[in-house]
Amino acid sequence: MGTFMGVYLPCLQNIFGVILFLRLTWVVGTAGVLQAFAIVFMCCSCTLLTAISMSAIATNGVVPAGGSYFMISRALGPEFGGAVGLCFYLGTTFAAAMYILGAIEIFLMYIVPAAAIFHSEDILKESAAMLNNMRVYGSAFLLLMVLVVFVGVRYVNKFASLFLACVIVSILAIYAGAIKSSFSPPSFPVCMLGNRTLSRRHIDVCAKTQEQGNITVPTRLWGLFCNSSKQLNATCDEYFAHNNVTFIQGIPGLASGIITENLWASYLQKGEIVEKPSIHSVDVLGAMNQEYVLADITTSFTLLVGIFFPSVTGIMAGSNRSGDLKDAQKSIPIGTILAILTTSFVYLSNVVLFGACIEGVALRDKFGDAVDGNLVVGTLSWPSPWVIVIGSFFSTCGAGLQSLTGAPRLLQAIAKDNIIPFLRVFGHGKANGEPTWALLLTAGIAELGILIASLDLVAPILSMFFLMCYLFVNLACALQTLLRTPNWRPRFRYYHWALSFMGMSICLALMFISSWYYAIIAMVIAGMIYKYIEYQGAEKEWGDGIRGLSLSAARFALLRLEEGPPHTKNWRPQLLVLLKLDEDLHVKHPRLLTFASQLKAGKGLTIVGSVMVGNFLDTYGEALAAEQTIKHLMESERVKGFCQVVVAAKVREGISHLIQSCGLGGMKHNTVVMGWPSGWRQSEDARAWKTFIGTVRVTTAARLALLVAKNIAFFPSNADPFVEGNIDVWWIVHDGGMLMLLPFLLKQHKVWRKCKIRIFTVAQLEDNSIQMKKDLATFLYHLRIEAEVEVVEMHDSDISAYTYERTLMMEQRSQMLRQMRLSKTERDREAQLVKDRNSMLRLTSIGSDEDEETETYQEKVHMTWTKDKYMASRVQKAKTLEGFQDLLNMKPDHSNVRRMHTAVKLNEVIVNKSHDAKLVLLNMPGPPRNPEGDENYMEFLEVLTEGLERVLLVRGGGSEVITIYS
């Protein structure tokens, strides 16, 4: 279809609706021409600006079925798309209810008033009886319409043009009547008692008395105000007795100048009488009588906005048919904007015409009681009021059918996208694709609207849902324009982000103007759907603008973070967790991640890194698989962060790369978490502990904090919180406050929450331990950390034989390993001889990860065995045996003995005090400068932490991480 048939006419049909015929005259009469013009202009501006944004989105690529929902979801992502799609669906469904209620109102008020089932003589109960009529007939109408839609949509589409013709003829009749009224106004007298408007439904003659055969007799009006008495001397209502009955022309005509009276607002409370202030009356109260024209609801500017807004909705009709258009990208903008301009002109001109042609009291008479029960707008039309009555009835029926056709399809499109799990059932339909289940749900929701039964109460509800939808269309366009995403290339050029923001602001303003509590309810519903999709919905990647916005916001935040190092108050451990993978790419110590999650409690940055040995080109697939494994483990342990797997020739190099390059800008790690190389003594392979010490050195060089978890397998899981116990901190050296901060952070997690913090510090003989305890307690008080303080005194005692023995064992083992590594080349050469004397290969160090660590350099060994080489090997072997013999007779180094003594004594004190602690935090001494002492360093740490179940060795990064100042 082309622009005219495919977009322009459907938009006209959807925009022109029940409000134009049933409520626009009342809006003009109540708000006055100026305020009514402002209301209509605001609403039309809102839809025009939304149409401009919609045109930009609709012309930025192909828009399949689903129209507005598809546009918003693909521009703002599944969460916003689902929330707004459901809002639009609910709006369309309530629109069906509103159109049906409008059709019933026309049917019962103006076509067949006798068809009413419920009646009431009491004026106060008459409106309630009318609402019950609306409910009964509305439900029957709804059932009939649902059956029509179920039988076949093709019938709805066939009748669409007929319904549209009714609307156009009705509007033309209004213009014709207005022009005719300028020279020959129609006769519709309005009966007035003083300045009060009388209803013509129960009175025949607009007078108190009438002449019948030269005799003055009371009229029916006399009986209504004089207690049904036919006597001229009867006691009558005070106001009736003091004021005269007159009549004024209901349609004075275009040339009458009545517009000057109708310019200003006349808002009424519920039950107030519609009056004409310019007529003189005797000011006595009188009784409230059902023969007056009364206000049925309390009116205000905001209420009228909510009631009128649905009459400008329907601008999506063209984009909803995008699949049927010859050139959607050309037709949608032109057709939609022309339709909005046409309808806006009709509405604005009608506001002026109604104000200029119709008497104010007739305008304020919502149901036409003062004009013989005619539809007020019908009294102005030419050639007959029935043109408008019949035309508006069919047009509202047609609009109701269109809504009942469109809403289930929209729900089906949302259900098929599978972003809201509980809606999946509504994605199914009949064999030909008709959404049967969705139609039933739509009918159920529309029935709720019909049970409300009042057009004036249903209209603001659907205003909210449509305004919410239009707000997000504007937001989508503004966001895409401001982000300048490369894919944002609309064919429609006449848009600007400022126009979209203006449209968005007007939508938001109209929501709160028309009904602030409905606005909040609509936003809460949309918010709940958004969060539901976020948590439960399927993951969809639609290249939406929110992702682009996240990227822009992340970039902006990262650049801001780059401006300087964080203040001590903002310091929190940003972790780089180093994980080890086994041959099957499974994580060896998953509890490290558990511990990280407990330490972070979901806050800050966590990067999980691992190293794979090999060539990146060969092991790229394995690296990806390892990354996925780690990500799944992170999900199960609820660690929010990033994962990075590095492929390197050596583990130590890979770890160095991770420590140097992980993170981005201000979002870099400041703390490295790793596990202790358990079983390093028993292993012949020195790689594990050499890599460990290398990592400690790299971390120290990078000025990062280091946490080493020993016995990590015994650390608690997230499912096993401690009911009681202690976290013991052994504060031997001040390291910037890391030891103080870590237990506090751990206690934020449910696993450690019930543990108490105990802080131990070590005093020498010459220290004043009482003063030390007091100072430390004061320091902790200022830090706002609740902890028990204890000062442990360590006396200088003689170095025990046990210490000597430990030191000697350590040095012997170290020396022996060095000798073994020296002779490894020879051993390998002999082993190779046995295998194959004639082969050639490069011998590499099996025991060590790093070539440079071995004191022998690797060479290509040619297996051409000569006598000289054989003799040389024998000499080397003899030297090695001599070295082993020396080891048995050696004495331990004095400095090693002192260090071992300190480690043994400290360990005794720690085990004595903290043997039952749930976690022990210890200062971790730095590694020796000379790599030859590496193994001794490992031994000291092992001795220091012996006999403790869970240990966390902590090494500060050289900066203060905790402060007493606010």
Side-chain angles (χ1 to χ4, degrees), residues 143-180:
L143 184 64
L144 187 67
M145 285 187 175
V146 168
L147 285 173
V148 171
V149 173
F150 181 76
V151 168
V153 180
R154 61 180 183 277
Y155 299 116
V156 178
N157 292 333
K158 274 181 186 175
F159 285 117
S161 50
L162 173 66
F163 295 141
L164 180 60
C166 291
V167 176
I168 292 168
V169 168
S170 302
I171 291 167
L172 291 175
I174 294 170
Y175 284 113
I179 293 164
K180 181 178 173 290

Side-chain angles (χ1 to χ4, degrees), residues 470-491:
Y470 295 166
L471 185 146
F472 281 107
V473 170
N474 284 305
L475 175 64
C477 180
L479 204 61
Q480 299 276 34
T481 310
L482 286 173
L483 290 175
R484 294 194 181 92
T485 33
N487 189 47
W488 180 245
R489 303 185 297 275
R491 288 186 188 279

Side-chain angles (χ1 to χ4, degrees), residues 130-447:
M130 187 63 198
L131 291 181
N132 286 331
N133 287 321
M134 300 282 272
R135 289 183 183 111
V136 172
Y137 277 100
S139 301
F141 251 61
L142 176 64
L143 184 64
L144 187 67
M145 285 187 175
V146 168
L147 285 173
V148 171
V149 173
F150 181 76
V151 168
V153 180
R154 61 180 183 277
Y155 299 116
V156 178
N157 292 333
K158 274 181 186 175
F159 285 117
S161 50
L162 173 66
F163 295 141
L164 180 60
C166 291
V167 176
I168 292 168
V169 168
S170 302
I171 291 167
L172 291 175
I174 294 170
Y175 284 113
I179 293 164
K180 181 178 173 290
S181 74
S182 62
F183 54 85
S184 173
S187 177
F188 282 99
V190 175
C191 194
M192 306 292 293
L193 174 62
N195 65 357
R196 297 179 179 179
T197 313
L198 291 169
S199 169
R200 296 293 296 267
R201 289 189 185 269
H202 301 119
I203 59 175
D204 48 355
V205 180
C206 184
K208 291 184 180 182
T209 59
Q210 60 182 350
E211 296 289 328
Q212 283 185 356
N214 296 329
I215 301 169
T216 303
V217 292
T219 59
R220 189 184 293 179
L221 181 64
W222 181 281
L224 292 169
F225 279 91
C226 301
N227 300 323
S228 305
S229 173
K230 294 288 184 180
Q231 302 299 317
L232 290 173
N233 60 352
T235 306
C236 295
D237 176 74
E238 193 178 356
Y239 189 85
F240 181 78
H242 284 85
N243 287 284
N244 294 323
V245 175
T246 57
F247 70 85
I248 56 174
Q249 194 55 260
I251 312 289
L254 205 56
S256 64
I258 194 75
I259 193 168
T260 53
E261 277 187 33
N262 292 338
L263 280 176
W264 313 111
S266 178
Y267 297 114
L268 300 174
Q269 296 293 314
K270 184 178 180 179
E272 271 191 63
I273 301 166
V274 175
E275 298 177 344
K276 183 174 170 69
S278 60
I279 295 179
H280 174 72
S281 70
V282 178
D283 195 16
V284 288
L285 190 61
M288 183 59 67
N289 195 295
Q290 65 182 18
E291 297 315 312
Y292 293 125
V293 175
L294 304 174
D296 67 326
I297 55 170
T298 300
T299 50
S300 63
F301 180 83
T302 58
L303 176 89
L304 297 182
V305 170
I307 289 173
F308 177 76
F309 188 80
S311 65
V312 296
T313 61
I315 60 170
M316 301 285 186
S319 63
N320 287 349
R321 293 161 179 253
S322 53
D324 305 328
L325 298 173
K326 192 188 296 178
D327 184 358
Q329 298 195 355
K330 180 185 170 192
S331 298
I332 290 174
I334 296 171
T336 307
I337 291 169
L338 275 178
I340 290 171
L341 292 173
T342 307
T343 52
S344 300
F345 171 76
V346 169
Y347 285 136
L348 292 168
S349 60
N350 276 349
V351 167
V352 177
L353 285 177
F354 294 160
C357 297
I358 305 175
E359 174 58 54
V361 290
L363 285 172
R364 288 191 287 282
D365 176 13
K366 189 190 282 185
F367 301 113
D369 293 333
V371 285
D372 291 334
N374 282 298
L375 185 61
V376 176
V377 70
T379 59
L380 178 63
S381 64
W382 180 85
S384 162
W386 284 100
V387 174
I388 298 280
V389 173
I390 302 298
S392 60
F393 177 75
F394 280 118
S395 76
T396 46
C397 288
L401 281 171
Q402 291 284 356
S403 297
L404 284 174
T405 309
R409 278 168 174 64
L410 181 61
L411 184 64
Q412 190 180 35
I414 298 168
K416 279 186 174 174
D417 261 343
N418 201 18
I419 54 169
I420 305 174
F422 71 82
L423 287 181
R424 276 185 203 132
V425 65
F426 300 109
H428 309 301
K430 290 195 288 189
N432 60 355
E434 290 297 314
T436 314
W437 292 108
L439 178 63
L440 289 174
L441 180 68
T442 305
I445 296 169
E447 178 62 23

Side-chain angles (χ1 to χ4, degrees), residues 85-99:
L86 279 182
C87 281
F88 191 52
Y89 164 74
L90 289 171
T92 312
T93 306
F94 273 104
M98 185 189 76
Y99 290 131

Side-chain angles (χ1 to χ4, degrees), residues 891-964:
K891 284 187 179 179
D893 181 72
H894 183 67
S895 62
N896 282 348
V897 172
R898 291 301 303 169
R899 283 198 198 97
M900 182 63 79
H901 175 63
T902 307
V904 169
K905 291 303 290 177
L906 201 50
N907 175 254
E908 279 175 16
V909 174
I910 294 169
V911 169
N912 182 32
K913 295 282 185 184
S914 302
H915 59 89
D916 59 345
K918 300 300 180 190
L919 180 65
V920 177
L921 283 87
L922 273 173
N923 282 114
M924 181 179 178
R929 289 201 179 96
N930 183 3
E932 284 189 5
D934 283 356
E935 199 170 353
N936 299 350
Y937 171 69
M938 292 293 290
E939 193 69 46
F940 292 137
L941 289 180
E942 193 72 68
V943 169
L944 187 64
T945 55
E946 244 174 8
L948 298 170
E949 190 180 10
R950 299 180 196 89
V951 183
L952 187 67
L953 294 166
V954 180
R955 186 161 171 74
S959 59
E960 289 291 330
V961 300
I962 197 164
T963 177
I964 62 171

